[in-house]
Amino acid sequence: MVNIKAPKGASSQSRARQAETRSSWYTPILALYYGNRNVLIGSAVGVILIVAGFFGYNYIQDTRNIQAQEFLGAILLEYEDSNYQIALDGNGEVLGLVDIIDRYGTTPAGNTAKFYAANAHFELQQYDLALELFESYDAKNDFLGASATAGRAAIYELREEYLRAGDLFKHAADMDDNNSLRAPYYLRSAARAYVESGDLESAIEVIHEAKENYPETDLLDEFNFMLGYVTALES
């Protein structure tokens, strides 16, 4: 007796087609994965290492910055006593500014050490060294940033590069615009440098800016005198 199989139902045929379809795309994906498994695993490990390295680097930098802050705080006592060479070289017990920069220059405290080292060199009339440090200092729009920019301007003025000095003094005033005490002095220096450079138009512009933005400054009479003087030169 012949056994006759009943025909497959529609649901069975549908499941077969679905299985065949899944196989048609699933198999190449498996082949891709197993064929490149080492590359994929290596990439994943690489991402993990990058993330871990980022947090590890930040932790190390924070630790180094704390160390630099401690050394900086100790040696600035010499700086404040006008012992500039000792501040630069150290006192035998505490690192000097030069060593702090060498060891911790990439930290915020190390960057601040550059500012004080530049000022120390300036006070010692070592202007080339001062300028190098002022220019390597990462200046922000704050008191120290404006002071460093003004320090650069003062050195260029000593070199008789008056136009460059005027531009830097004006920039220092813009960086320290929130302080109405220092900014007018930077603008006065800018006007003076522009006059020395022969750029009378820029000098007049700076004087007007100072009079308009800082009407309460104690330099107002001086600005009025400078304006008359420069206007007479221009005519």
Side-chain angles (χ1 to χ4, degrees):
M1 182 176 179
V2 179
N3 293 325
I4 300 175
K5 296 182 179 179
K8 294 182 179 179
S11 60
S12 298
Q13 293 176 359
S14 176
R15 282 194 298 272
R17 283 195 299 270
Q18 289 173 2
E20 183 179 354
T21 301
R22 282 197 300 271
S23 176
S24 66
W25 59 262
Y26 186 66
T27 300
I29 289 178
L30 285 177
L32 176 65
Y33 171 76
Y34 286 109
N36 298 275
R37 179 169 50 185
N38 291 337
V39 175
L40 294 173
I41 293 174
S43 298
V45 171
V47 170
I48 292 171
L49 290 176
I50 289 172
V51 173
F54 173 78
F55 287 108
Y57 174 80
N58 284 344
Y59 173 78
I60 293 172
Q61 281 293 88
D62 288 343
T63 302
R64 294 178 69 246
N65 188 54
I66 291 172
Q67 293 171 345
Q69 286 173 340
E70 293 173 354
F71 288 127
L72 184 60
I75 201 61
L76 283 184
L77 295 175
E78 298 288 355
Y79 177 92
E80 291 171 358
D81 286 339
S82 300
N83 298 323
Y84 299 116
Q85 195 62 57
I86 295 176
L88 288 166
D89 298 336
N91 57 17
E93 297 179 358
V94 180
L95 288 181
L97 294 168
V98 173
D99 285 332
I100 293 173
I101 293 167
D102 287 342
R103 298 186 187 187
Y104 305 99
T106 59
T107 66
N111 186 53
T112 302
K114 293 178 183 178
F115 170 82
Y116 285 104
N119 273 333
H121 282 302
F122 188 93
E123 294 292 341
L124 294 169
Q125 299 183 13
Q126 299 167 347
Y127 300 122
D128 290 344
L129 292 172
L131 182 61
E132 182 180 343
L133 284 165
F134 276 137
E135 291 187 337
S136 67
Y137 173 69
D138 184 13
K140 303 293 191 297
N141 287 334
D142 55 18
F143 164 67
L144 291 185
S147 297
T149 303
R152 292 168 59 200
I155 295 171
Y156 283 118
E157 188 174 28
L158 289 169
R159 291 180 174 182
E160 298 184 357
E161 297 183 40
Y162 296 115
L163 185 59
R164 191 169 189 177
D167 290 343
L168 284 169
F169 276 127
K170 186 176 184 303
H171 183 48
D174 293 337
M175 294 173 74
D176 202 21
D177 189 49
N178 289 330
N179 191 298
S180 60
L181 296 177
R182 293 182 296 269
Y185 284 86
Y186 294 147
L187 291 174
R188 179 184 64 176
S189 296
R192 181 185 64 237
Y194 283 135
V195 170
E196 291 292 337
S197 74
D199 188 353
L200 302 182
E201 183 177 344
S202 292
I204 291 174
E205 179 182 330
V206 164
I207 294 169
H208 280 303
E209 178 183 341
K211 286 166 55 67
E212 180 179 349
N213 292 344
Y214 308 101
E216 303 300 324
T217 179
D218 57 3
L219 296 177
L220 187 58
D221 289 341
E222 189 171 348
F223 282 128
N224 287 331
F225 173 83
M226 292 177 69
L227 182 59
Y229 175 76
V230 177
T231 303
L233 287 176
E234 193 179 36
S235 61

